[in-house]
Amino acid sequence: MRNTARYASLAAAGLLALSSLTACANDAASSTADTGSDGGGGKGETVKIMVGGLDKVIYLPAMLTQRLGYFQAEGLNVQLLSEPAGVQAETALVSGQVQGAVGFYDHTLDLQTKGKSVESVVQFSHAPGEVEVVSNKAAGDLTSPNDFKGRKLGVTGLGSSTDFLTKYLAVKNGVQVNEFTPVAVGAGPTFIAALQKGAIDGGMTTDPTVATILDKKAGKVLIDMRTPEGSQTALGGPYPSSSLYMQTDWVNGHKDTVQKLVNAFVKTLKWMSTHSADEIAAKMPADYSQGNKTLYAQAIKSTLPMFTDDGVMPQGGPETVEKVLKSFNPNIKNAKVDLSKTYTTEFVNAAK
């Protein structure tokens, strides 16, 4: 782990630089919530939701639901907040800063082993939506996870789902977690800069970062998990990822509110399944496209296959996630996880 201080410094700088993107996302969320334009609405019961990156396509249903007016139609005033990584959204939820988190389902298993009862109430996806990319410089020698040994690999944050999946791919291919260096570089410009400058040899990220990397010819796709087929190949099954998860006690005490949230999200997932990437892109805040509407629409098109159309947990999905986490996470490997307590279909079934 040489140059650890250097990587820590890079991560700090990356998160600082990323704050401007986060601020843009927060501004977009606030403006919709406060003004009532595009369905935000300032009236109704207030619910705060932290998103692990509002402008990431994998979490697109959060802002899209706001823009379509579905929260307001359910009588809710939903305030969408943003953090650069899902692990930070998890922290905000557990600390009680927010009532819900939009992030990866795998956090519910990890939290259960730490004595926290958290459950997914609506499942947005049945694939990770993640892509392992490699820099042009490293592409000749880094051709599969077998080559992770000795590499510096970018993740959004340490303890994030990108960190989890990177470790799984390594272990599955014979590379131990202490044989490579995960580097927290966030997403967007900070990830791309780290890739271009050689601070990382490759890394795991999502759209629109992936689309931008390919457009800039800054790197190549090594592993694509944006589709159920890609998830099956890389992980051995469906991998439920982006979801709305909440503390179980809060869910049980606010079932009417949770049902309204799930109703809104299921409407959005159905709407997404019947509209094109261009139509979806047109509904999103203008700054999400970063000046290139065509590229942004392409990023959405590439990621759309990961989403469910009904919010239901995919059959076998929780078992795949448990298998992945047990492969490298000693806390989960040696723990008995009750998968039935990590998600509920009560609300999506009622939403139908």
Side-chain angles (χ1 to χ4, degrees), residues 74 76 118-124 244-267 269-270 310-313 340-352:
E74 292 289 335
L76 298 174
V118 173
E119 61 188 17
S120 164
V121 297
V122 55
Q123 196 62 47
F124 298 160
L244 172 67
Y245 62 87
M246 313 178 88
Q247 297 202 59
T248 302
D249 285 347
W250 199 91
V251 172
N252 291 337
H254 302 80
K255 289 199 171 187
D256 287 347
T257 302
V258 176
Q259 187 64 63
K260 291 175 183 178
L261 286 167
V262 173
N263 289 346
F265 278 124
V266 170
K267 285 181 190 175
L269 292 169
K270 290 186 182 299
D310 56 11
V312 175
M313 176 65 73
S340 69
K341 293 182 178 179
T342 61
Y343 71 97
T344 177
T345 58
E346 173 185 352
F347 302 100
V348 289
N349 288 337
K352 290 180 184 178

Side-chain angles (χ1 to χ4, degrees), residues 73-228:
E74 292 289 335
L76 298 174
N77 173 31
V78 173
Q79 297 179 6
L80 297 175
L81 309 171
S82 187
E83 286 284 3
V87 67
Q88 292 158 322
E90 169 199 297
T91 300
L93 176 70
V94 172
S95 66
Q97 297 175 48
V98 295
Q99 288 77 53
V102 168
F104 268 39
Y105 161 73
D106 55 21
H107 290 292
T108 67
L109 280 72
D110 187 47
L111 285 168
Q112 189 181 114
T113 67
K114 298 171 182 175
K116 306 292 184 182
S117 185
V118 173
E119 61 188 17
S120 164
V121 297
V122 55
Q123 196 62 47
F124 298 160
S125 59
H126 46 192
E130 302 282 354
V131 176
E132 184 73 22
V133 297
V134 58
S135 71
N136 292 328
K137 182 179 179 181
D141 300 320
L142 182 48
T143 60
S144 80
N146 292 295
D147 303 320
F148 280 2
K149 188 174 182 178
R151 298 293 184 172
K152 297 168 291 183
L153 300 175
V155 297
T156 51
L158 301 181
S160 67
S161 297
T162 52
D163 190 20
F164 290 165
L165 288 171
T166 300
K167 287 175 177 174
Y168 172 73
L169 291 174
V171 170
K172 180 187 177 186
N173 289 276
V175 179
Q176 299 306 306
V177 295
N178 61 353
E179 292 182 317
F180 69 94
T181 305
V183 186
V185 291
T190 53
F191 185 102
I192 297 169
L195 194 70
Q196 291 176 317
K197 294 176 181 178
I200 56 175
D201 299 304
M204 192 169 291
T205 190
T206 61
D207 277 311
T209 306
V210 176
T212 304
I213 288 170
L214 298 179
D215 185 60
K216 290 177 176 288
K217 296 180 171 53
K220 302 175 180 178
V221 171
L222 188 66
I223 300 170
D224 193 337
M225 295 180 286
R226 289 176 290 189
T227 66

